[in-house]
Each structure stands twice: as structure tokens, then as C-alpha cells.
Amino acid sequence: MLTRISHRKLWTSARRVLRPSLCRTSSAPLPSPLSHSHTFSSSAFALRSTTYAYFDFDFLHWKRHCFSTQPALELPAGKIVDVPLAQTGEGIAECELLKWHVQEGDYIEDFQPLCEVQSDKATIEITSRYKGKVAHVLHVPGDIVKVGETLLKILVDETAFPSATVGDSEITKSLHSDQVLVNESASAIAALGNSNNAELLDSDLEKRKRAAVLSTPAVRSLAKQHGIDINEVCGTGKDGRVLKEDVLNFAAKKGIIVSVSAVLDADNVEKPRGAEGYTVTPEYKSPSEDRILPLRGYQRAMVKSMSLAAKVPHFHYVDEINCNALVELKTAFQKNNPYPDVKHTFLPILVKSLSMALTKYPALNSCFKEDSMEVILKGSHNIGVAMATPNGLVVPNIKNVQSLSILEITKELARLQQLASENKLTSDDISGGTITLSNIGAIGGKFGSPLLNLPEVSIIAIGRIQKIPQFDGNGNVYPVSLMTVNVGADHRVLDGATVSRFCNEWKQLIENPELLMLHLK
């Protein structure tokens, strides 16, 4: 048993083996450090003229002995690896970097969040596949990053990989395969046998030092702005981190800038900051000046989707719905609300009644495949609700409304609204919609003419509920709460008669909400 433990320790200590071509080799008996340890069993080793390597490092005042039958493998331990932007969804080619959760020099664990990115469809959190130290951050918040492009570089922790321990049944195989983890610096240390190799080591170490300069993206951007190679700047921060002052002092010595203090004073002027802490550009004093505003995230998605929708032949059907009973029902919900965290509104009732009408007219809950000239009638009522957020227009959808109660729709709608305001909607929240409801009345306006949210074939815009006077059959005036609805439809799939019948069905359910009880399951 002691022999096996000794063998295991010996092979573990030989993890940083060097290539035989860089060392003295011999078939003579092993030097004393090996001979003093337990002798290897002949049954476990089939050694024929086994070569060993002996390293004598006088400049480090230590000696080490190990052996190898072939060059060691270059595995990622102790190596800088690239972390690219992975594919975040079908058809996504690029994402906007929203914010970093780490910075250069931070030590990170497996699956630790690195950053947040936003595609045309959702906000995604990127996590780490490695354990190690952040070596280099390549992008700043606001950058557009292509799929496959490197986000940051990580110096992989050597301890994150399994050490090379071998048992009796594995030692013979290990002698031939040499499955030993290698640190990047091993080959460089072995090169110290002569002065030429020492120069090679110095050059190699210098390259590594230059590649591992610690600094923030803002400091790198400042160095790039002044045409300075940041690898030439001596850092005074923790662990040699290059600070802003280091770059400015270097620039002053090179004569690139006149005064460091003048630049710092100009940068210390307090600027307004947004919700995420990013600097907000102050408004121009002169209204005649042009400004360039890049479209990002949901705004870019709206450009693409509306450009496609504009090519589809639309028609619109407008009607007015009496909402007196709807107002009374909502008031009753509020007065008898056993859930203090639930706020009742008109929208969940409208969504549920819409689902009831779609059951009778499924053509409006479909999508059109132009290439095969087919219409797919959707079995699920995934009703999208357009939401105006600080980041643009987004349309998350409530899944399987036909199976939900009004209370469940209310809670799901509140969840989606909360995520939308925080810019944390997932791709599942946004994808899979079958029909869209746009409540422009929540902001203002009587009605609108909505464009389709392809590949859906219908969209409904509802205006605000207004109390106006109307005449009855006897000429008497009475108040009524009216809501204007505008149904936009794909004329390749739907015709005016179908949309009119559907709207009449929906109108009947809204004006007589007690009819909803007939369809409950």
C-alpha cells in the first residue's frame, strides 16, 4: 500500500514535466532522488530503455528529477482562454453588451455571471465555463458584439483541472500516453540550460507579461485615444494594474498631453448618470444641432419586424364596444380582492374574453407560411401584450390563455410587466406569440392602426375607455363607457367578413361578461 502511495506522489510531483529534447537524457540508472524512493514493480512497468530527464537549476538553488517517455501535452491549465459570445437564439447574429458583472483581475468560479447582453429578442446573462482570473475585458457596455466574437480572456486556474494521479492499472498506460497536465511556464523554465535559452525565457516571459496587463476597458480606451500601447505603461495599482493616472503620466512624459491635472480636472466635472450608472450625455443647448442615436436592442428588432410587416397587405376593422358592464366587473374585483398584492385592471378580462372569441374563430389565431402557401391554426392562445419600456417596444406573450383563469392572467401579466421594466425578459417570454393586443389607451388616444407582428395574421389596438353621452331608442340621453378597437389583419389570410364576425363575438363577451361563465371549464 505504501508503495502505491509513493508511486502516486511521485507522478503527482512530476506534473510540470518538460520535453525530452530540452533536457539531458540517459538510459543509466536513475539518480539518487528516485533510487531512494520505492522501487517500481516490474509487473506494473514494461520498461525497455526508459529515458529520464534530469534538471539542474543552479540559479534557483534547487534540483528536481522526473521522467517522460514523450513530450508533455499542452492542456489549458494555467493558460489564457477566450470566452466568445455564444449563439443566444435562432437567427441572432449580434448582441449589445449591457453591463459587466466582473472586471479585470477578479477571480471567478464556474458558472459565475460574467455579463449581460441583449439581443433583438431578450436579455441574456453570460456565465463562465472556467474557474480562474479575468485577464482582459475586450468590450465596454454599449458595444455591439458579433456571435463568436471574444468577450473576455480568462487565465484558467490550474487547480480547476484534475491532477495526474495514476493507479497500478493505469501506470503502464500513462508511460506511453503521458497524460500529465502541463503548466505553460514549464517549457520556458527548462530552457535555462544555457544563455541562449535564458534569452528565450526572458522573451517568453515578456510576452506573457505584455498579454496579461491589468486595466479596465475605460483605461484601455484612454490609452488607445492617445495612441499609447498600454503594455508599455508601468502600472501602479494593485497587482500592477494600469490606472488612468498611469496612462496620463506616460502621455505627459511622451509629450502627448501638456498637463495631467488639466485632463483630470476636466474629467472630474460631475455628469448626470442613468439607471445603470452609465454617463448620460447632457442635452444640447442649441436645438439646431444634429444628434446621432444608434438603435439598439428592442429598437433594432422593431426596425426589422416593421420593415417586414410593411410588405404585407393589411386591412383594418374599427368598432366601438360598450364597457359599462366591464367597468362594474372590475370595480367588483377590486372591492372583493383577497390578494393585496394583486391589482385588477381591464386588460386581463379583455385577454380572457379574446381567447373565448378565438375559440370560435381560430383563423385569427394562426400564422401564414408563404413559401408553402399554408395557414397553421395554432392550438394554444399565446396572446402577446405590447409594452412600452425605457428600452423600446417589446411584446411578451401570455402562454395558453385558454387554460388560465382571469386571476392567473392577472398575475402573469404583472410578472411580464415587471420583467419588461427591468429589461429581464427571456426569449421564451417573447417568442411563440399567436396574436397581439396593443393597449394604447393606457398611454392615451382613442384608436390606432397597428401593423402586424409577423408571422401572426392579426393584431388588435384598443383605445382608452371614455364616458360619453348616447341616445337610446326613445331619444333619451344616457352615459356610456365606450372603447374603440381596431383589428389589423393580414388580407392574404383573412377577409373583412371573418374579422367582423369575430369582433362581434368578442364585443358580445365584453358587453355581457356573465357569458364568460358559460365557457369556464
Side-chain angles (χ1 to χ4, degrees):
M1 180 66 182
L2 291 176
T3 302
R4 294 180 59 188
I5 295 176
S6 177
H7 292 172
R8 192 178 296 271
K9 288 183 178 180
L10 175 62
W11 279 88
T12 303
S13 65
R15 295 172 70 236
R16 304 177 187 275
V17 296
L18 309 181
R19 301 182 185 278
S21 59
L22 299 177
C23 333
R24 302 195 307 265
T25 60
S26 173
S27 58
L30 295 174
S32 57
L34 285 179
S35 62
H36 291 169
S37 62
H38 295 276
T39 305
F40 296 105
S41 172
S42 59
S43 62
F45 295 88
L47 301 181
R48 288 196 293 268
S49 186
T50 302
T51 61
Y52 69 90
Y54 174 81
F55 312 111
D56 188 348
F57 305 126
D58 292 336
F59 72 99
L60 291 177
H61 303 288
W62 63 280
K63 296 182 179 181
R64 190 166 187 174
H65 304 78
C66 58
F67 63 89
S68 172
T69 57
Q70 65 182 27
L73 301 176
E74 297 289 344
L75 295 181
K79 180 180 180 180
I80 293 180
V81 297
D82 294 343
V83 179
L85 174 62
Q87 180 62 257
T88 59
E90 184 179 356
I92 302 299
E94 61 187 17
C95 293
E96 178 187 359
L97 176 62
L98 295 181
K99 63 180 178 181
W100 285 105
H101 296 303
V102 297
Q103 60 181 353
E104 292 182 359
D106 287 354
Y107 187 85
I108 57 176
E109 300 289 339
D110 298 335
F111 308 109
Q112 179 177 336
L114 299 175
C115 63
E116 285 185 10
V117 297
Q118 184 180 32
S119 68
D120 294 347
K121 298 181 179 180
T123 301
I124 303 102
E125 190 175 67
I126 305 298
T127 58
S128 176
R129 296 191 305 156
Y130 306 99
K131 179 188 294 185
K133 190 175 184 181
V134 178
H136 190 188
V137 174
L138 300 178
H139 297 277
V140 297
D143 285 355
I144 299 296
V145 184
K146 302 288 186 182
V147 171
E149 190 174 348
T150 302
L151 286 168
L152 75 163
K153 296 177 182 290
I154 297 178
L155 181 62
V156 177
D157 189 353
E158 188 174 3
T159 60
F161 293 85
S163 58
T165 59
V166 290
D168 290 343
S169 62
E170 299 172 345
I171 295 179
T172 304
K173 179 181 178 181
S174 298
L175 286 173
H176 295 286
S177 61
D178 211 7
Q179 300 294 324
V180 182
L181 295 179
V182 181
N183 187 285
E184 277 193 321
S185 60
S187 58
I189 295 176
L192 293 178
N194 50 55
S195 60
N196 291 335
N197 289 337
E199 293 176 0
L200 178 63
L201 174 65
D202 292 339
S203 175
D204 184 68
L205 293 178
E206 181 64 23
K207 290 179 180 178
R208 298 176 188 276
K209 180 180 177 182
R210 292 166 66 90
V213 173
L214 295 178
S215 63
T216 64
V219 174
R220 292 182 182 273
S221 178
L222 179 64
K224 185 177 180 181
Q225 177 183 347
H226 291 93
I228 297 173
D229 183 359
I230 199 169
N231 298 304
E232 299 178 0
V233 181
C234 181
T236 60
K238 184 179 179 181
D239 298 329
R241 181 182 294 273
V242 177
L243 306 177
K244 178 180 180 180
E245 292 78 5
D246 300 330
V247 174
L248 294 177
N249 288 330
F250 184 87
K253 291 179 181 179
K254 294 291 185 179
I256 300 175
I257 61 175
V258 178
S259 172
V260 175
S261 59
V263 177
L264 292 177
D265 291 342
D267 291 342
N268 287 334
V269 176
E270 187 174 353
K271 299 178 180 179
R273 294 188 175 272
E276 296 292 340
Y278 305 136
T279 301
V280 177
T281 305
E283 295 183 1
Y284 289 93
K285 296 181 180 180
S286 173
S288 62
E289 294 185 15
D290 297 336
R291 288 185 294 170
I292 299 176
L293 299 178
L295 299 180
R296 303 289 173 82
Y298 298 142
Q299 292 178 324
R300 294 168 67 94
M302 185 172 65
V303 171
K304 297 177 182 178
S305 60
M306 293 299 99
S307 297
L308 293 175
K311 301 177 182 178
V312 175
H314 286 62
F315 78 91
H316 292 86
Y317 179 87
V318 181
D319 200 354
E320 291 180 338
I321 299 178
N322 185 332
C323 296
N324 285 344
L326 181 64
V327 172
E328 293 177 3
L329 182 61
K330 191 198 92 167
T331 303
F333 284 166
Q334 290 176 331
K335 289 181 178 180
N336 303 279
N337 184 12
Y339 308 100
D341 58 333
V342 175
K343 180 182 178 181
H344 290 285
T345 62
F346 297 116
L347 193 55
I349 306 174
L350 294 173
V351 169
K352 185 60 180 179
S353 59
L354 175 62
S355 176
M356 295 290 189
L358 291 175
T359 303
K360 190 171 182 179
Y361 295 94
L364 280 87
N365 191 62
S366 64
C367 68
F368 177 55
K369 296 181 66 175
E370 186 175 4
D371 53 348
S372 60
M373 298 297 289
E374 295 176 341
V375 176
I376 301 176
L377 302 179
K378 297 292 187 177
S380 299
H381 297 171
N382 299 339
I383 300 179
V385 179
M387 298 179 183
T389 72
N391 301 289
L393 176 66
V394 62
V395 188
N397 60 82
I398 305 171
K399 300 289 194 298
N400 299 309
V401 174
Q402 77 278 4
S403 302
L404 301 179
S405 66
I406 294 177
L407 180 60
E408 290 172 329
I409 295 172
T410 302
K411 293 180 178 180
E412 177 64 6
L413 186 60
R415 183 188 74 85
L416 294 175
Q417 288 172 334
Q418 180 66 26
L419 293 178
S421 64
E422 297 173 355
N423 199 25
K424 292 184 178 180
L425 289 169
T426 65
S427 57
D428 184 62
D429 293 328
I430 299 174
S431 61
T434 57
I435 187 173
T436 298
L437 193 62
S438 178
N439 183 18
I440 61 171
I443 301 175
K446 295 182 179 180
F447 67 92
S449 298
L451 293 177
L452 290 172
N453 184 22
L454 297 177
E456 300 168 12
V457 298
S458 58
I459 182 172
I460 304 172
I462 55 178
R464 67 175 181 267
I465 297 176
Q466 290 182 302
K467 182 169 287 190
I468 62 174
Q470 274 196 346
F471 292 94
D472 60 13
N474 299 322
N476 298 319
V477 178
Y478 67 99
V480 61
S481 298
L482 279 184
M483 176 181 68
T484 303
V485 299
N486 189 338
V487 183
D490 186 343
H491 216 331
R492 300 173 300 177
V493 178
L494 300 172
D495 54 50
T498 302
V499 173
S500 178
R501 294 189 185 99
F502 157 78
C503 196
N504 288 338
E505 180 71 17
W506 187 34
K507 180 178 180 178
Q508 186 180 20
L509 292 171
I510 295 174
E511 293 181 345
N512 304 280
E514 65 274 8
L515 295 177
L516 294 174
M517 300 292 295
L518 298 176
H519 301 280
L520 294 181
K521 298 179 181 180

